[in-house]
Structure formats: C-alpha cells, structure tokens
Amino acid sequence: MKKFIFILAIAVALLPAALYTLYKNGYVKDLPSLKRATLAKVNKIISLKSRISSYKKPSSEGLVTLYLKNGSAISGQLIDETKEGYTMLWQGGEVVFSLGEVERLVRGGKAVEDKEGLLFEVNIPVEWPYNNDTVIMLTNGIVMDAKVTDVSKESITVGYSLEEGGTIEQELDRAKIEYMLFEPVSDDNSRRQKANLEKLFPKMEFYKVGNFTIVTDSYITWVKEYKSTLRQAYTDVYLTFFELFKDRKPRYQNFVVIFDDYRTFAEYAIADGVPAWAVLGYFRPDDKILYLFNSLGERYTDYLLEIWLGSKTRQIDRWADDMKEQYKGRYEKTIDGMAKDVKDRFWRYHNIIKGELRRQTMSTLRHEFTHELFNNWGLQNIIVSRVTGDRQRLIDKKKDFLETDDAAKKREIFIDLINMRSRQKLPEMEAANSWLAEGVATFSETDPPGSQNDRWLYVFQKMVREDAVYPLEYLTVYKIGSFPGVYRDAMLNAYAQSWAFVTFLMNRYPKEFMEYQRRLSEDSAKGQEDIKWLLEALGKELKPLEKEFVKYMDRYEDLEDPFAARYERMLNIFNEFRM
C-alpha cells in the first residue's frame, strides 16, 4: 500500500495522466477530480492516503451524499453548508464543492459504492500551481512565486513568506521582468460565461492564460501575439497603477473575444447596439467581455493583398509583356528589372499599411483591456447599456442572428434585439467619469503606458491652436460610456483631452491622482463632488490647475497631421520614379 501511495504522490504532482492510469487499474478509489480541487487540496488528499487502509465508510447516521452535475457522487459527513456551497469530511480530509457543482443533496441512506462514486476526468492539469496569486516571469526564464509589495519606476520589491513565520524581501530591476501572470478566477459565474461563449461561438478556440481567456478563430501565430500583448498589457497596467491594485483581487475571469473576420465582428457588434463601422473593439461591462476585430485577419489581409498588389502587379506584368513583345526580345532584362522595381514599391506601400493596421489593432486591444481590468478589479464601473428581462433569451437571440443566412429572418431578429435594448433602464449615475476611464485607457494604449501617443497629442494640439480646450467642468459632465450624444469631432476632442489630462496628472501628481482614483472606487460622487475631490486631492484651485495643465502640454513638440504625414510617406515611395 505504501508503494502505491508513493506512486500516487508523484503522479499527482507531476503528471495527472499517470494518476488516471492508476485509477483505471483499480489502485486508487474515489479520488476527487483535479478539476474540483486546488493544488493545496490535492496535496492534502495525498497526505491523507497514508491512512487509507484504516478508512471506514461513514455510517448512515449523519451521512450525506452529494450528487454532482458531472454525474459523480460522494458520501461523507457534512461539516459546513453555506449559500456558496458544501464542505464535507471525506476520507479524513475536507473537500469543498460549490453550489453550482451540486445537482442535489441526500441526507442519510446508504453510502455510494466505488462504482457509483466520483468520476475522474482525464489529464486535467492543476490550474494554478503557485502559492501566490501573482507570479513574475523574468527575462532569464526564472519564475518568481512571490508577492509584489512595492513598485517604483526602476524596480519592484517582492516578498516571500517563510514557513517559520515572517517575510523576506528582494528588489528586482523592472528591466529584468518579462511579464506577470495572475491567478485565474474559476467560479460559477466564470464557468457560466465560458459556457455562453461556447454556445455563441462554437467554431472558436479558447486559450486560457492565467486571469484572461482568449476566444478566437484566428491562426495560432496571431494567438501567440494576442497572448504576448495581453500579458504585457496586464503587467503594465498592474505595475503602473499598483497603488490602486495592490489591495484588491480580480472578481471574474477576463474573457477577450477576437474576431478574425470583420463581417462576423460587425454583425455581433450591431447585435450589441455598437456601431461596428466606428470601432475596432469595445468592452461591455454588463457582459464583462471584450470584443475586438483583428484588422489583419485572413479575409481582410487577402483583400488588402488584392487591392494593393494583386490587380496592380498583374497590370504591371501585362505592361512588361507588351513592352517585351514590342521590342522583340530586346531589353528583356531591363524591362523585367523595371517591372520588379515598380512592384517592390507597391509591396513597400502595402507593408506600411499592414504595419499601421497591426499597431492599431494591438493599441485598441490594450485600450479595451485596460477598461476590462479596471472594471474587473472594482476600480471603475463604466456602464454603457443594460438590457432588462431574460439574459439567456438575449444570448439565444444573438446566436440565432449570427447563424442565420436568411436576410428576412436576420432583419426580424435584429428588430427584436433593438426592442429588447429599447426597454433598458439607465442605472444611477454612479459610474466613473468618462474622462477618467477613457483617459486611463488611452494612457495605457502605448507600450509602455504613458509614452507619447501621437494620435491623441496631435488632436489636443489642434484644440489648443483653435482655442477649443474644454473647461474641466465640461469634461467631467459625462459619467456613462464614451462621451455619448456628441458628434464625432467633439468625441475625438474629448478623448484627446482625457489622454492629455491623465498624462499630466500621472507625471505631475501621481500619488495624489492615485488617491483620487481610490476615493472614486470606494465612494460614489454625487453632482460635482468628483471634480471637488480631485481639487482636494491635488490641493489646487480649478483655474490655476487648468492653466498648469495646458502649460505642461506645451512641452511636447508640435506634430504634423498624422494623415498628411502618412500621405507624404506614401507619395515619396513613388516620387523616386522621377529622375
């Protein structure tokens, strides 16, 4: 028996598949699924196996049997029963089952036999094998299982808990940190969310990386880039705003749905009431899901290739063939060389466009993921819309809308979706200020956060030239969504000024700005209290603060119109023809 116990310990610690082999061959009975237990619980069960030979089945007195939704059953003594779930004494140890896992509970009666007992799931790895809820991946490949206790611009401090009590601390150069990983949230809500997404997007794959799950139909090369971007964005946001995050934990698993095809994204966005033609991505707090379109997905990439290269290079090849025929084989190498030179220029043009689309996709991903993180950690509550009634009916309607190809039926379902949303009730105005939410998100678009963001800097500088900078009282009016109800140019200006103002506060008054955000996350500002709290945190009067803000932004060098600069860059490629 001791030999089997030793083998079991190694198998659970190193390879769940080996444990399954033992189970199949009858060496291990009633072992709970690894999916139902944390690493600590599994290790506890291993240690209890040394008493397996003396274990006796519970008597009918005080006996309860839990029948689980996965078809398993377990008999034991009920230790605790709460609204979250049940704690049972089983084989000398405590095992916890959440309420969402349990089909029914039967008190008394006969204990279930081995053949009726727990069903073991094959090859399910331990989800989070670390002691801390955050771990640090260093550039040299070392994983540091330690708690971050302090952060500065150059370094972070981590602490290790000692078994005999107390802690030791170590300082790490931030340049040596590759990224951080955050413990996943595996509660009933997250499982339900995953099930809903599987229903809506049956052809998409799920990729779980700590506290975020990517849902996409993109190729694996894109998935690797999504993972890298999201890992880095999570790390950057957490460390940049550490004073806000350090005493909190994520409330749910972050789901990120990335469509490889624009049409599918557009249809789903429209079903959500979002103008797909105006955005690359959006985060819905009510759903707690981020939706994004990969602007370099397979279909759109093929479209770009055809537009900028396919038709044009075929035309150039026809021109070259006509020239060679005209000169009866003379100058063939010269003509081929000229044709290649022209086609190379189109390739350069095409690659510039692809590079810009890639940057735009990834900056949008960072922007929207920042919204999701601040919402998840309870720091901001940006409310866009809310649908009353049966949420499951809404999901079913969306599924029908996406799956049908019948235009008439699609129109009918779309009208029904619109009507469902038209009955929504706006919540109390307790959400974070739009300028704060969008300012923090635009601040975090760049890698690293706070780098010069030319897109928004140019718009803000244009506002200054046109004497169109908003008074802060106006900027703080919006508290729901992304500046709803204003025309496009005014919305862009609001985004630009939000980025500029957050950049100013993060650089001039970082500690005071963090304290202001903390207060907003813990209390609901009424009326104009939010701007009053900001002035109190900064120790400033309104008008002097506005002047200081505009003066601070004057330190940036004036930018060209990015659209004009891009046009000139493209034009220069073809101006090289003119000798």
Side-chain angles (χ1 to χ4, degrees), residues 412-427:
E412 179 184 338
I413 297 172
F414 179 67
I415 291 173
D416 198 8
L417 284 166
I418 293 289
N419 289 334
M420 290 175 73
R421 295 191 179 281
S422 68
R423 296 192 295 271
Q424 66 187 347
K425 296 178 181 178
L426 286 177

mmCIF file with all atom_site columns, all heavy atoms in Angstrom, residues 412-427:
data_model
loop_
_atom_site.group_PDB
_atom_site.id
_atom_site.type_symbol
_atom_site.label_atom_id
_atom_site.label_alt_id
_atom_site.label_comp_id
_atom_site.label_asym_id
_atom_site.label_entity_id
_atom_site.label_seq_id
_atom_site.pdbx_PDB_ins_code
_atom_site.Cartn_x
_atom_site.Cartn_y
_atom_site.Cartn_z
_atom_site.occupancy
_atom_site.B_iso_or_equiv
_atom_site.pdbx_formal_charge
_atom_site.auth_seq_id
_atom_site.auth_comp_id
_atom_site.auth_asym_id
_atom_site.auth_atom_id
_atom_site.pdbx_PDB_model_num
ATOM 1   N N   . GLU A 1 412 ? -35.663 40.458 -38.879 1.00 0.00 ? 412 GLU A N   1
ATOM 2   C CA  . GLU A 1 412 ? -36.658 40.267 -37.821 1.00 0.00 ? 412 GLU A CA  1
ATOM 3   C C   . GLU A 1 412 ? -35.976 40.116 -36.452 1.00 0.00 ? 412 GLU A C   1
ATOM 4   O O   . GLU A 1 412 ? -36.400 40.719 -35.466 1.00 0.00 ? 412 GLU A O   1
ATOM 5   C CB  . GLU A 1 412 ? -37.484 39.020 -38.141 1.00 0.00 ? 412 GLU A CB  1
ATOM 6   C CG  . GLU A 1 412 ? -38.543 38.692 -37.097 1.00 0.00 ? 412 GLU A CG  1
ATOM 7   C CD  . GLU A 1 412 ? -39.259 37.384 -37.412 1.00 0.00 ? 412 GLU A CD  1
ATOM 8   O OE1 . GLU A 1 412 ? -39.239 36.965 -38.590 1.00 0.00 ? 412 GLU A OE1 1
ATOM 9   O OE2 . GLU A 1 412 ? -39.801 36.780 -36.470 1.00 0.00 ? 412 GLU A OE2 1
ATOM 10  N N   . ILE A 1 413 ? -34.896 39.318 -36.410 1.00 0.00 ? 413 ILE A N   1
ATOM 11  C CA  . ILE A 1 413 ? -34.182 39.116 -35.142 1.00 0.00 ? 413 ILE A CA  1
ATOM 12  C C   . ILE A 1 413 ? -33.518 40.406 -34.689 1.00 0.00 ? 413 ILE A C   1
ATOM 13  O O   . ILE A 1 413 ? -33.519 40.737 -33.499 1.00 0.00 ? 413 ILE A O   1
ATOM 14  C CB  . ILE A 1 413 ? -33.133 37.994 -35.297 1.00 0.00 ? 413 ILE A CB  1
ATOM 15  C CG1 . ILE A 1 413 ? -33.820 36.667 -35.613 1.00 0.00 ? 413 ILE A CG1 1
ATOM 16  C CG2 . ILE A 1 413 ? -32.296 37.860 -34.023 1.00 0.00 ? 413 ILE A CG2 1
ATOM 17  C CD1 . ILE A 1 413 ? -32.849 35.550 -35.971 1.00 0.00 ? 413 ILE A CD1 1
ATOM 18  N N   . PHE A 1 414 ? -32.970 41.149 -35.664 1.00 0.00 ? 414 PHE A N   1
ATOM 19  C CA  . PHE A 1 414 ? -32.306 42.414 -35.319 1.00 0.00 ? 414 PHE A CA  1
ATOM 20  C C   . PHE A 1 414 ? -33.296 43.397 -34.689 1.00 0.00 ? 414 PHE A C   1
ATOM 21  O O   . PHE A 1 414 ? -32.988 44.062 -33.694 1.00 0.00 ? 414 PHE A O   1
ATOM 22  C CB  . PHE A 1 414 ? -31.670 43.021 -36.568 1.00 0.00 ? 414 PHE A CB  1
ATOM 23  C CG  . PHE A 1 414 ? -30.990 44.338 -36.316 1.00 0.00 ? 414 PHE A CG  1
ATOM 24  C CD1 . PHE A 1 414 ? -29.853 44.406 -35.519 1.00 0.00 ? 414 PHE A CD1 1
ATOM 25  C CD2 . PHE A 1 414 ? -31.495 45.511 -36.859 1.00 0.00 ? 414 PHE A CD2 1
ATOM 26  C CE1 . PHE A 1 414 ? -29.234 45.620 -35.281 1.00 0.00 ? 414 PHE A CE1 1
ATOM 27  C CE2 . PHE A 1 414 ? -30.874 46.721 -36.623 1.00 0.00 ? 414 PHE A CE2 1
ATOM 28  C CZ  . PHE A 1 414 ? -29.743 46.782 -35.834 1.00 0.00 ? 414 PHE A CZ  1
ATOM 29  N N   . ILE A 1 415 ? -34.495 43.493 -35.264 1.00 0.00 ? 415 ILE A N   1
ATOM 30  C CA  . ILE A 1 415 ? -35.526 44.383 -34.702 1.00 0.00 ? 415 ILE A CA  1
ATOM 31  C C   . ILE A 1 415 ? -35.888 43.947 -33.290 1.00 0.00 ? 415 ILE A C   1
ATOM 32  O O   . ILE A 1 415 ? -36.068 44.776 -32.391 1.00 0.00 ? 415 ILE A O   1
ATOM 33  C CB  . ILE A 1 415 ? -36.773 44.395 -35.622 1.00 0.00 ? 415 ILE A CB  1
ATOM 34  C CG1 . ILE A 1 415 ? -36.438 45.097 -36.939 1.00 0.00 ? 415 ILE A CG1 1
ATOM 35  C CG2 . ILE A 1 415 ? -37.948 45.082 -34.931 1.00 0.00 ? 415 ILE A CG2 1
ATOM 36  C CD1 . ILE A 1 415 ? -37.536 45.013 -37.983 1.00 0.00 ? 415 ILE A CD1 1
ATOM 37  N N   . ASP A 1 416 ? -35.951 42.634 -33.088 1.00 0.00 ? 416 ASP A N   1
ATOM 38  C CA  . ASP A 1 416 ? -36.254 42.113 -31.747 1.00 0.00 ? 416 ASP A CA  1
ATOM 39  C C   . ASP A 1 416 ? -35.147 42.485 -30.769 1.00 0.00 ? 416 ASP A C   1
ATOM 40  O O   . ASP A 1 416 ? -35.404 42.872 -29.621 1.00 0.00 ? 416 ASP A O   1
ATOM 41  C CB  . ASP A 1 416 ? -36.418 40.590 -31.814 1.00 0.00 ? 416 ASP A CB  1
ATOM 42  C CG  . ASP A 1 416 ? -37.165 40.046 -30.590 1.00 0.00 ? 416 ASP A CG  1
ATOM 43  O OD1 . ASP A 1 416 ? -37.670 40.862 -29.798 1.00 0.00 ? 416 ASP A OD1 1
ATOM 44  O OD2 . ASP A 1 416 ? -37.250 38.818 -30.442 1.00 0.00 ? 416 ASP A OD2 1
ATOM 45  N N   . LEU A 1 417 ? -33.895 42.391 -31.208 1.00 0.00 ? 417 LEU A N   1
ATOM 46  C CA  . LEU A 1 417 ? -32.764 42.774 -30.350 1.00 0.00 ? 417 LEU A CA  1
ATOM 47  C C   . LEU A 1 417 ? -32.816 44.256 -29.996 1.00 0.00 ? 417 LEU A C   1
ATOM 48  O O   . LEU A 1 417 ? -32.572 44.653 -28.852 1.00 0.00 ? 417 LEU A O   1
ATOM 49  C CB  . LEU A 1 417 ? -31.437 42.456 -31.057 1.00 0.00 ? 417 LEU A CB  1
ATOM 50  C CG  . LEU A 1 417 ? -31.008 40.987 -31.089 1.00 0.00 ? 417 LEU A CG  1
ATOM 51  C CD1 . LEU A 1 417 ? -29.881 40.787 -32.092 1.00 0.00 ? 417 LEU A CD1 1
ATOM 52  C CD2 . LEU A 1 417 ? -30.562 40.538 -29.708 1.00 0.00 ? 417 LEU A CD2 1
ATOM 53  N N   . ILE A 1 418 ? -33.150 45.082 -31.003 1.00 0.00 ? 418 ILE A N   1
ATOM 54  C CA  . ILE A 1 418 ? -33.273 46.519 -30.766 1.00 0.00 ? 418 ILE A CA  1
ATOM 55  C C   . ILE A 1 418 ? -34.368 46.785 -29.739 1.00 0.00 ? 418 ILE A C   1
ATOM 56  O O   . ILE A 1 418 ? -34.202 47.605 -28.813 1.00 0.00 ? 418 ILE A O   1
ATOM 57  C CB  . ILE A 1 418 ? -33.595 47.265 -32.077 1.00 0.00 ? 418 ILE A CB  1
ATOM 58  C CG1 . ILE A 1 418 ? -32.409 47.171 -33.036 1.00 0.00 ? 418 ILE A CG1 1
ATOM 59  C CG2 . ILE A 1 418 ? -33.950 48.718 -31.798 1.00 0.00 ? 418 ILE A CG2 1
ATOM 60  C CD1 . ILE A 1 418 ? -31.217 47.968 -32.642 1.00 0.00 ? 418 ILE A CD1 1
ATOM 61  N N   . ASN A 1 419 ? -35.491 46.110 -29.885 1.00 0.00 ? 419 ASN A N   1
ATOM 62  C CA  . ASN A 1 419 ? -36.608 46.307 -28.955 1.00 0.00 ? 419 ASN A CA  1
ATOM 63  C C   . ASN A 1 419 ? -36.252 45.869 -27.540 1.00 0.00 ? 419 ASN A C   1
ATOM 64  O O   . ASN A 1 419 ? -36.657 46.488 -26.558 1.00 0.00 ? 419 ASN A O   1
ATOM 65  C CB  . ASN A 1 419 ? -37.843 45.543 -29.438 1.00 0.00 ? 419 ASN A CB  1
ATOM 66  C CG  . ASN A 1 419 ? -38.463 46.175 -30.673 1.00 0.00 ? 419 ASN A CG  1
ATOM 67  O OD1 . ASN A 1 419 ? -38.315 47.379 -30.891 1.00 0.00 ? 419 ASN A OD1 1
ATOM 68  N ND2 . ASN A 1 419 ? -39.145 45.388 -31.478 1.00 0.00 ? 419 ASN A ND2 1
ATOM 69  N N   . MET A 1 420 ? -35.480 44.784 -27.432 1.00 0.00 ? 420 MET A N   1
ATOM 70  C CA  . MET A 1 420 ? -35.046 44.334 -26.105 1.00 0.00 ? 420 MET A CA  1
ATOM 71  C C   . MET A 1 420 ? -34.192 45.397 -25.440 1.00 0.00 ? 420 MET A C   1
ATOM 72  O O   . MET A 1 420 ? -34.319 45.663 -24.244 1.00 0.00 ? 420 MET A O   1
ATOM 73  C CB  . MET A 1 420 ? -34.256 43.021 -26.227 1.00 0.00 ? 420 MET A CB  1
ATOM 74  C CG  . MET A 1 420 ? -35.091 41.811 -26.612 1.00 0.00 ? 420 MET A CG  1
ATOM 75  S SD  . MET A 1 420 ? -34.085 40.328 -26.872 1.00 0.00 ? 420 MET A SD  1
ATOM 76  C CE  . MET A 1 420 ? -33.644 39.928 -25.174 1.00 0.00 ? 420 MET A CE  1
ATOM 77  N N   . ARG A 1 421 ? -33.348 46.044 -26.223 1.00 0.00 ? 421 ARG A N   1
ATOM 78  C CA  . ARG A 1 421 ? -32.470 47.069 -25.658 1.00 0.00 ? 421 ARG A CA  1
ATOM 79  C C   . ARG A 1 421 ? -33.208 48.389 -25.416 1.00 0.00 ? 421 ARG A C   1
ATOM 80  O O   . ARG A 1 421 ? -32.829 49.172 -24.558 1.00 0.00 ? 421 ARG A O   1
ATOM 81  C CB  . ARG A 1 421 ? -31.264 47.307 -26.568 1.00 0.00 ? 421 ARG A CB  1
ATOM 82  C CG  . ARG A 1 421 ? -30.378 46.088 -26.641 1.00 0.00 ? 421 ARG A CG  1
ATOM 83  C CD  . ARG A 1 421 ? -29.061 46.366 -27.308 1.00 0.00 ? 421 ARG A CD  1
ATOM 84  N NE  . ARG A 1 421 ? -28.248 45.154 -27.314 1.00 0.00 ? 421 ARG A NE  1
ATOM 85  C CZ  . ARG A 1 421 ? -27.551 44.692 -26.290 1.00 0.00 ? 421 ARG A CZ  1
ATOM 86  N NH1 . ARG A 1 421 ? -27.586 45.353 -25.143 1.00 0.00 ? 421 ARG A NH1 1
ATOM 87  N NH2 . ARG A 1 421 ? -26.851 43.590 -26.376 1.00 0.00 ? 421 ARG A NH2 1
ATOM 88  N N   . SER A 1 422 ? -34.271 48.632 -26.173 1.00 0.00 ? 422 SER A N   1
ATOM 89  C CA  . SER A 1 422 ? -35.002 49.892 -26.001 1.00 0.00 ? 422 SER A CA  1
ATOM 90  C C   . SER A 1 422 ? -35.765 49.928 -24.682 1.00 0.00 ? 422 SER A C   1
ATOM 91  O O   . SER A 1 422 ? -36.162 50.988 -24.217 1.00 0.00 ? 422 SER A O   1
ATOM 92  C CB  . SER A 1 422 ? -35.973 50.099 -27.170 1.00 0.00 ? 422 SER A CB  1
ATOM 93  O OG  . SER A 1 422 ? -37.023 49.150 -27.123 1.00 0.00 ? 422 SER A OG  1
ATOM 94  N N   . ARG A 1 423 ? -35.970 48.742 -24.078 1.00 0.00 ? 423 ARG A N   1
ATOM 95  C CA  . ARG A 1 423 ? -36.668 48.698 -22.796 1.00 0.00 ? 423 ARG A CA  1
ATOM 96  C C   . ARG A 1 423 ? -35.713 48.810 -21.612 1.00 0.00 ? 423 ARG A C   1
ATOM 97  O O   . ARG A 1 423 ? -36.105 48.625 -20.474 1.00 0.00 ? 423 ARG A O   1
ATOM 98  C CB  . ARG A 1 423 ? -37.448 47.383 -22.694 1.00 0.00 ? 423 ARG A CB  1
ATOM 99  C CG  . ARG A 1 423 ? -38.558 47.259 -23.724 1.00 0.00 ? 423 ARG A CG  1
ATOM 100 C CD  . ARG A 1 423 ? -39.473 46.089 -23.405 1.00 0.00 ? 423 ARG A CD  1
ATOM 101 N NE  . ARG A 1 423 ? -38.784 44.811 -23.490 1.00 0.00 ? 423 ARG A NE  1
ATOM 102 C CZ  . ARG A 1 423 ? -38.692 44.087 -24.614 1.00 0.00 ? 423 ARG A CZ  1
ATOM 103 N NH1 . ARG A 1 423 ? -39.228 44.536 -25.739 1.00 0.00 ? 423 ARG A NH1 1
ATOM 104 N NH2 . ARG A 1 423 ? -38.081 42.920 -24.614 1.00 0.00 ? 423 ARG A NH2 1
ATOM 105 N N   . GLN A 1 424 ? -34.441 49.087 -21.903 1.00 0.00 ? 424 GLN A N   1
ATOM 106 C CA  . GLN A 1 424 ? -33.459 49.152 -20.833 1.00 0.00 ? 424 GLN A CA  1
ATOM 107 C C   . GLN A 1 424 ? -33.720 50.351 -19.902 1.00 0.00 ? 424 GLN A C   1
ATOM 108 O O   . GLN A 1 424 ? -34.271 51.364 -20.301 1.00 0.00 ? 424 GLN A O   1
ATOM 109 C CB  . GLN A 1 424 ? -32.055 49.272 -21.420 1.00 0.00 ? 424 GLN A CB  1
ATOM 110 C CG  . GLN A 1 424 ? -31.819 50.574 -22.165 1.00 0.00 ? 424 GLN A CG  1
ATOM 111 C CD  . GLN A 1 424 ? -30.477 50.563 -22.873 1.00 0.00 ? 424 GLN A CD  1
ATOM 112 O OE1 . GLN A 1 424 ? -29.659 49.717 -22.623 1.00 0.00 ? 424 GLN A OE1 1
ATOM 113 N NE2 . GLN A 1 424 ? -30.255 51.506 -23.750 1.00 0.00 ? 424 GLN A NE2 1
ATOM 114 N N   . LYS A 1 425 ? -33.298 50.192 -18.682 1.00 0.00 ? 425 LYS A N   1
ATOM 115 C CA  . LYS A 1 425 ? -33.381 51.259 -17.692 1.00 0.00 ? 425 LYS A CA  1
ATOM 116 C C   . LYS A 1 425 ? -31.972 51.728 -17.373 1.00 0.00 ? 425 LYS A C   1
ATOM 117 O O   . LYS A 1 425 ? -31.116 50.938 -17.025 1.00 0.00 ? 425 LYS A O   1
ATOM 118 C CB  . LYS A 1 425 ? -34.062 50.752 -16.419 1.00 0.00 ? 425 LYS A CB  1
ATOM 119 C CG  . LYS A 1 425 ? -35.514 50.343 -16.618 1.00 0.00 ? 425 LYS A CG  1
ATOM 120 C CD  . LYS A 1 425 ? -36.100 49.817 -15.321 1.00 0.00 ? 425 LYS A CD  1
ATOM 121 C CE  . LYS A 1 425 ? -37.554 49.372 -15.514 1.00 0.00 ? 425 LYS A CE  1
ATOM 122 N NZ  . LYS A 1 425 ? -38.126 48.809 -14.262 1.00 0.00 ? 425 LYS A NZ  1
ATOM 123 N N   . LEU A 1 426 ? -31.746 53.013 -17.500 1.00 0.00 ? 426 LEU A N   1
ATOM 124 C CA  . LEU A 1 426 ? -30.418 53.539 -17.177 1.00 0.00 ? 426 LEU A CA  1
ATOM 125 C C   . LEU A 1 426 ? -30.188 53.445 -15.682 1.00 0.00 ? 426 LEU A C   1
ATOM 126 O O   . LEU A 1 426 ? -31.069 53.739 -14.886 1.00 0.00 ? 426 LEU A O   1
ATOM 127 C CB  . LEU A 1 426 ? -30.298 54.996 -17.631 1.00 0.00 ? 426 LEU A CB  1
ATOM 128 C CG  . LEU A 1 426 ? -30.157 55.210 -19.136 1.00 0.00 ? 426 LEU A CG  1
ATOM 129 C CD1 . LEU A 1 426 ? -30.115 56.685 -19.433 1.00 0.00 ? 426 LEU A CD1 1
ATOM 130 C CD2 . LEU A 1 426 ? -28.913 54.524 -19.664 1.00 0.00 ? 426 LEU A CD2 1
ATOM 131 N N   . PRO A 1 427 ? -28.982 53.044 -15.283 1.00 0.00 ? 427 PRO A N   1
ATOM 132 C CA  . PRO A 1 427 ? -28.684 52.937 -13.866 1.00 0.00 ? 427 PRO A CA  1
ATOM 133 C C   . PRO A 1 427 ? -28.452 54.311 -13.252 1.00 0.00 ? 427 PRO A C   1
ATOM 134 O O   . PRO A 1 427 ? -28.446 55.327 -13.940 1.00 0.00 ? 427 PRO A O   1
ATOM 135 C CB  . PRO A 1 427 ? -27.380 52.130 -13.859 1.00 0.00 ? 427 PRO A CB  1
ATOM 136 C CG  . PRO A 1 427 ? -26.730 52.502 -15.156 1.00 0.00 ? 427 PRO A CG  1
ATOM 137 C CD  . PRO A 1 427 ? -27.861 52.700 -16.142 1.00 0.00 ? 427 PRO A CD  1
#
